[in-house]
Amino acid sequence: MKKLLALVFLLLPGLAQVEVSFWHSMDGPAGRLLSAFAQEFNGKQSQYRVSPQYVGDYRDAETKLVAALRTGAQPVLFQAEISFFPRLVGEGRALALDAHLSLERAFLEDLFEPAWNYGVMEGKRYGLPLNTSTPVLFYNLDALRAKGLKAPRNWREFEEVARALTSRQAKGFIFVTDPQAWLFEAMVTSRGGSLVKEGRPNFTSKEALEALEMLWRLNKAGALSARSMAEATFAQLDFVRTKGMMVMASIANWPAAENFSFAFTLGVAPVPREPGGRVPMGGAQLVVLKGATEAQVRGALEFWKYLMEPQNVARWVEASYYVPVRKSAIPLLEGFYRENPFRKVAFEQIAYAQERPRHPQFSAWASVLAEALEKALKGGVPPQRALEEAQRKAEALR
C-alpha cells in the first residue's frame, strides 16, 4: 500500500506541496509581517509552501549564504542587499528570471522605475523588488526650533546647522561609517558625483573629496561624532539621549527607533542636496538562486506577486517604513502619511533617486572605502590621503 501511495505522488506531483525556502534579513515588525505574508500565501493555495527564515542582518546573511552555496544548501529565494546583489549575478549564482516571468503591461507601468530597473544586469532580470529605501536626515526638531534653525537643504546649510547645534553636551551630527559606505555615497551623489566611473572605483573624485573634507572639518571643530557600524547602537542612543542632534540613516531605521522613548520631537528631512544631485537607493532585491527546481522557481515568483499586491505593499510600508514600489499603493497610504507627514520624506526622494552601481566588485570596493572613512574620522588620516589609499586598494582587488 505504501509503495502504491508513493507511486501516486510521483505520478501526481501537484498533490505534494513544493517547498520554497526563503532567507531574509528583516527582523521586528517587518520580519513578523513577512512571516504573516507567507502564512497567508500558503493558506490561499495548496501547490507551494513558502518557509521564511530570518538569517541575521545583511552582512550575516551574506556570510551564511556564501557558506551554504559551497555545500549546495542554499535557499530557493534570498533577499540580497543591493550592493551584494551584483556579486551574486557576477558569480553566476542568481537565476535569470525573464523566461519565467509573464507580467502584464499595466503591472509593469505601476512599478516605480528605480526599484524595478535595479533588478536588471546585462540586459537580463535577476532581481525582484521588495524593500526599497532612501537615506534621510533624522534631527532633533526641538533643538532646531530653539535656535531658530530649519532643516538644511544643501551641504553649506548642513555644515552651518551642525556647528550651530553643537554644545559642550552634544555634537551637531553623528556619522556612521556603514560597511557599504551608503551614507557617504549619498553625500557624494547629492553633490552630483558617483563612487564608480567607467567601471572603476572613483573615490578620489572632487565630490568625494568635498564630502570627506566637510566631515573632517566638522570633526576638527568638535561638531561630529564618528561611529562605525559596530557602534550603531551607541549612535542611536547618542541621538535619543540628545548627545547628537542630527544623524543620517535609512528611513527603514525609523520603526526600530520607535522602540526608544524620545524626549524630543523627531524631525525627518531629505538628504541635503546640490542642484542636479541625487540620492542612492538602498534596500534589497529578491533573488532566486541557481539549483532551484522549475516548480520552486514558479512558487517563488507566485509568492513575490502576492507581496506585490497593492494592499500588501501598503501593509509592508506601514510596518517597515520602506518606500512603496507600486504607484497603486499610494492612495492606500494616505492616512499613514497624513498621521505623520515626515513618513513621506523618503518616498518623495524617489523623484531623484538613482540605483547603486551594479558592478560585481562594488561591494568589496565600498568596504575598502568604509575603512578609509574610519581611518580619516577616527584615526586622523587626512581626507585626500585616505581616499587615495582606498582607491589604490580597491583597484588592486581581483
Side-chain angles (χ1 to χ4, degrees), residues 51-103:
S51 302
Q53 182 183 347
Y54 173 71
V55 287
D57 62 23
Y58 287 137
R59 183 157 263 198
D60 287 342
E62 290 168 18
T63 302
K64 288 176 183 175
L65 181 65
V66 169
L69 286 167
R70 291 196 191 104
T71 61
Q74 70 270 21
V76 173
L77 192 61
F78 180 75
Q79 183 189 25
E81 192 271 330
I82 61 174
S83 61
F84 180 60
F85 164 70
R87 176 182 161 187
L88 283 179
V89 176
E91 292 180 355
R93 301 295 193 175
L95 186 71
L97 300 172
D98 304 84
H100 307 275
L101 277 175
S102 179
L103 302 172

Side-chain angles (χ1 to χ4, degrees), residues 59-289:
R59 183 157 263 198
D60 287 342
E62 290 168 18
T63 302
K64 288 176 183 175
L65 181 65
V66 169
L69 286 167
R70 291 196 191 104
T71 61
Q74 70 270 21
V76 173
L77 192 61
F78 180 75
Q79 183 189 25
E81 192 271 330
I82 61 174
S83 61
F84 180 60
F85 164 70
R87 176 182 161 187
L88 283 179
V89 176
E91 292 180 355
R93 301 295 193 175
L95 186 71
L97 300 172
D98 304 84
H100 307 275
L101 277 175
S102 179
L103 302 172
E104 295 179 359
R105 178 185 290 270
F107 176 86
L108 294 173
E109 290 177 348
D110 192 46
L111 293 164
F112 283 106
E113 286 187 13
W116 180 240
N117 290 347
Y118 194 86
V120 175
M121 285 187 65
E122 297 179 356
K124 293 181 180 179
R125 173 160 301 283
Y126 293 93
L128 301 166
L130 170 64
N131 54 310
T132 297
S133 63
T134 61
V136 295
L137 184 70
F138 293 101
Y139 61 92
N140 184 321
L141 180 57
D142 297 341
L144 261 74
R145 284 176 173 166
K147 290 186 175 286
L149 300 169
K150 292 183 178 179
R153 295 163 298 177
N154 56 49
W155 289 111
R156 179 185 58 78
E157 290 181 3
F158 172 83
E159 192 166 354
E160 291 172 357
V161 169
R163 289 172 182 267
L165 290 173
T166 299
S167 65
R168 288 183 181 178
Q169 295 78 32
K171 305 286 188 182
F173 181 56
I174 303 167
F175 179 67
V176 180
T177 58
D178 62 290
Q180 289 303 309
W182 183 53
L183 301 176
F184 183 74
E185 182 181 5
M187 294 182 170
V188 174
T189 59
S190 59
R191 288 174 161 85
S194 175
L195 292 182
V196 174
K197 185 177 181 181
E198 297 173 356
R200 295 175 62 246
N202 191 37
F203 299 162
T204 54
S205 68
K206 174 176 72 72
E207 294 85 2
L209 184 58
E210 284 176 0
L212 187 51
E213 284 180 337
M214 178 196 72
L215 293 171
W216 174 271
R217 287 193 300 272
L218 289 174
N219 202 29
K220 286 288 187 185
L224 179 80
S225 172
R227 295 286 196 181
S228 67
M229 185 54 79
E231 301 169 314
T233 302
F234 296 112
Q236 271 190 336
L237 289 172
D238 285 349
F239 181 61
V240 170
R241 294 171 180 172
T242 67
K243 292 183 179 180
M245 295 300 173
M246 298 188 292
V247 63
M248 217 161 83
S250 167
I251 190 66
N253 288 117
W254 194 343
E258 288 183 338
N259 291 328
F260 296 100
S261 181
F262 284 87
F264 58 88
T265 308
L266 180 67
V268 186
V271 171
R273 197 166 57 93
E274 305 302 329
R278 303 179 75 81
V279 293
M281 288 192 318
Q285 292 274 309
L286 293 186
V287 174
V288 179
L289 296 166

